[in-house]
Amino acid sequence: MRIAGLLLAMSPLVFAGADVQALVNQQEPSLFAVYKDLHEHPELSQHEEKTSAFMAGELRKAGYTVTEHVGRYADGSGALGVVCVLKNGDGPVVLVRTELDALPVEEKTGLPYASRNPGVMHACGHDLHMTSLLGTARVLASLKDQWSGTLLLIAQPAEETIGGAKAMLADGMYSRFPKPDFAIALHDTPGLAVGQVGVTAGPLLASSTSVDVIIRGLGGHGAHPEATKDPVVMAAEFVMALQTVVSRQISPLDPAVVTVGSIHGGTKHNIIPDEVKLQLTVRAFREEVRKKILTDIDRTARGVALAAGVPEDRAPIVAVSATEAVPATVNDPQLAARLKRVFVAVLGAANVVDAGPEMASEDFGLFGLDGQIPVFMFRLGATDPARLEESRRTGVPLPSLHSSLFYPVPEPAIRTGVLATVAAVLDLMHK
Ligand SMILES: [Zn+2]
Ligand SMILES: [Zn+2]
């Protein structure tokens, strides 16, 4: 058993190679059409009605038992998760996940298949992930004689607002459907060339926590600052003081970020307002570091108010969001090493890159139930190698994910996504 697994890990397509390549070739035109359709019709987080129905329909056609409307958000409203099961004898349960949602971004790529929904765009490539999942589903359904176990394909809503994975789990996903032994996913990246994948063992993506701060003062006339406690000045001091949280309070060996993404206060030139509101995001890998930063933010806000002489009943309000928070995503090192060998065998060593961690965040890690289930997310190259080369030469960065100008090259990114995912699943579920 071990030997068979090892052999397969070294060359995962030994038994299925020709079939897989041929099946992917056969799927390519129809997958490209699906991609263009999804890209033209993006839907925002928690509003993925058409997208989820489309995916459910396609996966049903591919032979899966499909359940729609899986998920319940913290406020009790229903989510649009899709769970697809294909049972094929004894063996492990493997979960493969895609996201469904797009972003509130006005697309400016000028692509012939650009978004037709004004102000909404698949700027994170979730359309690419859906297409890859669909290709994977079709190929694996035609290769049932080459794997054994249960395939659990899920289409998750609301990744961008960090609520979808939690909502699906809260709706009994692991009791209503088979609980996975492995959970895998991919995410596109403009930093790698199409045809390549990036593998990270261990910490992959940081935890993310949203924090809302209200700096309260005592408003008044702009000409009489002495008769006020000016929250605008305090907010400015607070923003600058926050810059030393990571650089002075946290060890240089612990990656962390505190970003103030929004600041609003006041109504008019000559009025000192009563309060200023700020929205922060906190990123870290270790839970202790995250907790320390949150304490530091609270203390810094209070310290600024204290120095300004703000009375205690007008102390700043620091609210850490319970819903907009997600733990770090940590790839299982053994699973990462195993699937890296698989990727090397199917894509060639030159197309498998060791990638480092990033301070971005994801809720995919939640499907691992805090280390109970090994999870693995790999990066899928999305950029034309010539553009990547030019960017390296000129030093002009390429549009990042979430940019109105970001676009992946769907061919051959879809093909690579399908090949890599199929190879990974075949390795994990080999007969
Ligand atoms: Zn995103
Ligand atoms: Zn994304």
Side-chain angles (χ1 to χ4, degrees):
M1 189 70 182
R2 272 185 77 89
I3 293 168
L6 192 64
L7 276 176
L8 203 59
M10 287 160 71
S11 183
L13 303 185
V14 162
F15 309 114
D19 287 358
V20 172
Q21 298 282 352
L23 286 166
V24 176
N25 289 347
Q26 209 183 320
Q27 292 296 331
E28 253 177 326
S30 111
L31 290 176
F32 189 41
V34 163
Y35 172 78
K36 287 192 283 192
D37 189 23
L38 289 170
H39 192 84
E40 282 177 358
H41 303 102
E43 293 178 301
L44 290 174
S45 309
Q46 299 197 28
H47 298 278
E48 308 91 343
E49 284 89 0
K50 287 180 185 147
T51 311
S52 62
F54 173 79
M55 286 300 285
E58 288 299 313
L59 287 154
R60 218 169 259 132
K61 272 189 249 166
Y64 290 72
T65 306
V66 177
T67 308
E68 294 177 74
H69 299 99
V70 179
R72 194 142 296 281
Y73 294 112
D75 65 3
S77 61
L80 293 157
V82 182
V83 176
C84 313
V85 181
L86 188 58
K87 287 193 173 146
N88 187 29
D90 294 336
V93 179
V94 177
L95 179 155
V96 185
R97 173 267 213 171
T98 180
E99 317 88 322
L100 291 164
D101 53 338
L103 287 156
V105 171
E106 182 74 40
E107 179 160 356
K108 292 180 185 150
T109 59
L111 287 168
Y113 50 87
S115 169
R116 294 188 186 184
N117 295 348
V120 187
M121 174 187 176
H122 268 300
C124 205
H126 296 176
D127 45 357
L128 194 65
H129 307 170
M130 284 186 265
T131 312
S132 174
L133 184 92
L134 186 57
T136 300
R138 290 173 178 174
V139 170
L140 286 169
S142 352
L143 286 176
K144 280 173 82 175
D145 57 331
Q146 307 203 16
W147 57 275
S148 181
T150 300
L151 194 51
L152 186 70
L153 305 181
I154 63 165
Q156 180 210 308
E159 186 281 322
E160 297 292 358
T161 48
I162 300 287
K166 201 186 269 181
M168 289 183 81
L169 290 166
D171 199 19
M173 197 178 107
Y174 285 169
S175 50
R176 294 166 58 193
F177 307 98
K179 190 171 165 184
D181 298 295
F182 305 97
I184 59 177
L186 56 78
H187 204 296
D188 64 342
T189 175
L192 285 177
V194 277
Q196 292 190 317
V197 295
V199 174
T200 309
L204 173 75
L205 298 165
S207 73
S208 168
T209 309
S210 290
V211 182
D212 287 274
V213 179
I214 306 176
I215 300 286
R216 299 186 295 175
L218 300 169
H221 201 295
H224 291 289
E226 77 285 1
T228 73
K229 298 293 177 194
D230 188 344
V232 172
V233 173
M234 282 187 273
E237 285 176 349
F238 175 59
V239 171
M240 293 314 291
L242 285 180
Q243 306 311 307
T244 61
V245 168
V246 171
S247 70
R248 301 292 93 180
Q249 309 277 352
I250 301 298
S251 162
L253 299 177
D254 275 314
V257 179
V258 177
T259 287
V260 179
S262 162
I263 177 165
H264 289 280
T267 52
K268 198 178 183 306
H269 311 66
N270 60 354
I271 302 172
I272 291 172
D274 287 322
E275 62 184 33
V276 172
K277 291 181 175 172
L278 302 99
Q279 296 182 320
L280 283 56
T281 185
V282 172
R283 306 296 169 109
F285 278 95
R286 295 200 303 120
E287 180 59 14
E288 299 88 318
V289 174
R290 187 184 82 97
K291 282 189 182 143
K292 172 143 187 13
I293 292 173
L294 295 175
T295 308
D296 291 344
I297 288 171
D298 189 71
R299 195 183 56 247
T300 304
R302 289 180 166 279
V304 166
L306 187 70
V310 172
E312 186 55 35
D313 66 345
R314 295 288 293 161
I317 298 169
V318 178
V320 177
S321 173
T323 49
E324 263 189 57
V326 72
T329 306
V330 181
N331 277 343
D332 181 78
Q334 268 182 309
L335 184 59
R338 175 175 175 177
L339 295 183
K340 185 184 168 185
R341 286 196 296 273
V342 172
F343 293 163
V344 166
V346 70
L347 303 171
N351 288 320
V352 182
V353 178
D354 284 316
E358 275 183 57
M359 300 312 288
S361 302
E362 250 286 346
D363 62 2
F364 168 66
L366 292 176
F367 291 113
L369 301 182
D370 212 7
Q372 283 181 47
I373 298 163
V375 301
F376 175 69
M377 172 179 269
F378 64 96
R379 295 198 179 88
L380 179 67
T383 304
D384 178 349
R387 275 183 89 207
L388 209 56
E389 187 47 43
E390 192 191 323
S391 163
R392 280 178 190 146
R393 201 183 62 244
T394 59
V396 179
L398 289 167
S400 63
L401 294 177
H402 293 198
S403 158
S404 59
L405 297 169
F406 168 73
Y407 65 92
V409 182
E411 272 308 318
I414 296 167
R415 181 188 174 77
T416 309
V418 175
L419 271 177
T421 312
V422 166
V425 172
L426 284 179
D427 187 73
L428 295 171
M429 303 177 96
H430 65 86
K431 272 186 161 175

